[in-house]
Amino acid sequence: RNCRLCCNFIEKMLIQSKDNQKLKLAKLLFSSKKNIKKTNFFIIDNIKLIKEIHLKSPEQLAYILVCEKTNLDSLVFNNPTKIHFIEKNIFKSSFTDKTKESVLAVCKVKKPDYLAILPKLKNILILDQISIPQNFGAIIRTAAAFNIDAVFYTKGTTFYYNPQTIRAAAGYIFEIPILELNKDTLIFLQEKSFVFYVLDIAAKEYLQDVNFSKKNAFVLGSEGNGIISNDLKNDLKTKKIKIPMKNKVESLNVAVTAGILLYHLFFKKII
């Protein structure tokens, strides 16, 4: 049902207090990764992405907050009781410093099913303590574009349900499995004969010269610090490879590196 037909009903439920629990939760979710993990909710502040989650994973959509008088003609939504209008001044004072959008969705974190996902994997990315949300999001989007089976991240990586990560991923967090890399998972991948390739400027072998395995894990380090996690740095047998570069350039942005790597693998039909 089109939201326009429901606005008269919804506006009778106008939120006019800063103490409203739905409003307070949304503000919390903007403030830190800890609040997302503690509550198991995250926030989307882009109407296109709200449509995406409504279509692809509707069970995750808890409720939508809308600044009063906002035109919702473009949002076709079949459960108007989940939409809550907020008095304009309250909405602006609550969210102006956090987002320019006038429509927000509070959504449930969906925990990945490791047992269902792991046996199907052949080519994966491992991100080690990527700290910039926009980089994480861009890598997720690129991984989806070039047919990577899953993206793993280590402890210390920015949370992929961060609003900035979600925007940069352009909705593709709903298209590709994203999992935290723990010791059990790392052991599983080793036992399943995955070969671990680390992108490293000091490597002797170039990307285009590598004979890749049937099961590959490509490890990208944090911005400026490379591989940090002990499990990856000290306890794991890896092969170091590098991207050829000119003009004495020593490193690239991690999201750019991921794009070059994955395009090469896709073009060579490795993934």
Side-chain angles (χ1 to χ4, degrees):
R1 205 164 30 146
N2 193 298
C3 287
R4 182 172 51 185
L5 302 176
C6 309
C7 285
N8 289 335
F9 168 73
I10 296 167
E11 287 184 342
K12 292 177 183 177
M13 302 165 59
L14 186 69
I15 294 174
Q16 296 176 303
S17 170
K18 288 185 177 180
D19 294 326
N20 179 275
Q21 293 302 309
K22 288 182 170 58
L23 181 64
K24 289 171 75 173
L25 175 58
K27 289 170 68 176
L28 272 178
L29 298 177
F30 268 114
S31 63
S32 78
K33 169 182 172 179
K34 287 182 180 179
N35 288 329
I36 297 173
K37 287 197 167 185
K38 183 178 179 180
T39 63
N40 280 320
F41 286 96
F42 67 100
I43 199 154
I44 299 177
D45 62 344
N46 179 290
I47 197 162
K48 182 180 178 181
L49 300 183
I50 293 171
K51 291 178 186 178
E52 287 280 323
I53 195 168
H54 173 234
L55 289 172
K56 295 176 180 177
S57 192
E59 70 281 0
Q60 286 185 261
L61 191 54
Y63 58 88
I64 297 174
L65 298 178
V66 184
C67 183
E68 66 173 332
K69 309 301 181 186
T70 298
N71 186 345
L72 290 182
D73 285 359
S74 65
L75 182 62
V76 177
F77 191 63
N78 60 11
N79 193 346
T81 60
K82 287 190 175 183
I83 300 176
H84 303 270
F85 278 77
I86 301 175
E87 195 273 323
K88 188 174 183 179
N89 290 334
I90 291 178
F91 190 97
K92 288 187 174 296
S93 65
S94 299
F95 300 114
T96 296
D97 63 334
K98 300 174 178 66
T99 180
K100 295 179 181 179
E101 302 294 331
S102 58
V103 182
L104 311 172
V106 172
C107 306
K108 301 170 187 174
V109 170
K110 186 176 181 179
K111 294 182 179 180
D113 186 346
Y114 281 75
L115 293 177
I117 295 168
L118 291 180
K120 301 176 182 178
L121 301 179
K122 290 183 179 179
N123 294 287
I124 63 172
L125 273 183
I126 297 175
L127 308 181
D128 185 33
Q129 300 194 35
I130 303 297
S131 61
I132 299 174
Q134 291 89 340
N135 283 341
F136 196 4
I139 292 169
I140 291 168
R141 186 176 183 178
T142 304
F146 292 121
N147 206 34
I148 281 291
D149 296 323
V151 175
F152 288 83
Y153 62 93
T154 61
K155 186 177 180 180
T157 299
T158 185
F159 200 37
Y160 67 94
Y161 280 124
N162 179 300
Q164 293 171 306
T165 305
I166 292 170
R167 284 196 295 271
Y172 288 95
I173 65 165
F174 312 120
E175 297 287 344
I176 183 170
I178 305 167
L179 310 95
E180 184 168 358
L181 185 72
N182 53 45
K183 283 203 171 189
D184 288 342
T185 303
L186 194 56
I187 291 169
F188 174 89
L189 295 172
Q190 290 173 294
E191 289 176 346
K192 294 300 179 181
S193 301
F194 272 79
V195 178
F196 294 81
Y197 297 93
V198 175
L199 274 291
D200 188 333
I201 191 64
K204 294 181 180 180
E205 193 169 15
Y206 286 107
L207 172 62
Q208 67 269 27
D209 298 326
V210 178
N211 291 318
F212 290 100
S213 172
K214 291 182 179 180
K215 292 185 177 181
N216 305 292
F218 303 99
V219 185
L220 298 175
S222 64
E223 303 91 343
N225 296 310
I227 305 302
I228 299 173
S229 301
N230 285 333
D231 287 346
L232 297 175
K233 189 174 183 179
N234 302 320
D235 303 334
L236 184 68
K237 183 180 179 181
T238 62
K239 293 185 177 182
K240 293 183 178 181
I241 59 176
K242 65 181 177 180
I243 294 169
M245 294 184 286
K246 296 284 188 179
N247 299 318
K248 298 181 180 179
V249 175
E250 293 185 353
S251 64
L252 296 171
N253 170 278
V254 66
V256 173
T257 299
I260 295 170
L261 167 69
L262 297 185
Y263 172 75
H264 173 82
L265 298 172
F266 186 79
F267 182 75
K268 293 292 186 179
K269 298 184 179 179
I270 295 159
I271 56 178

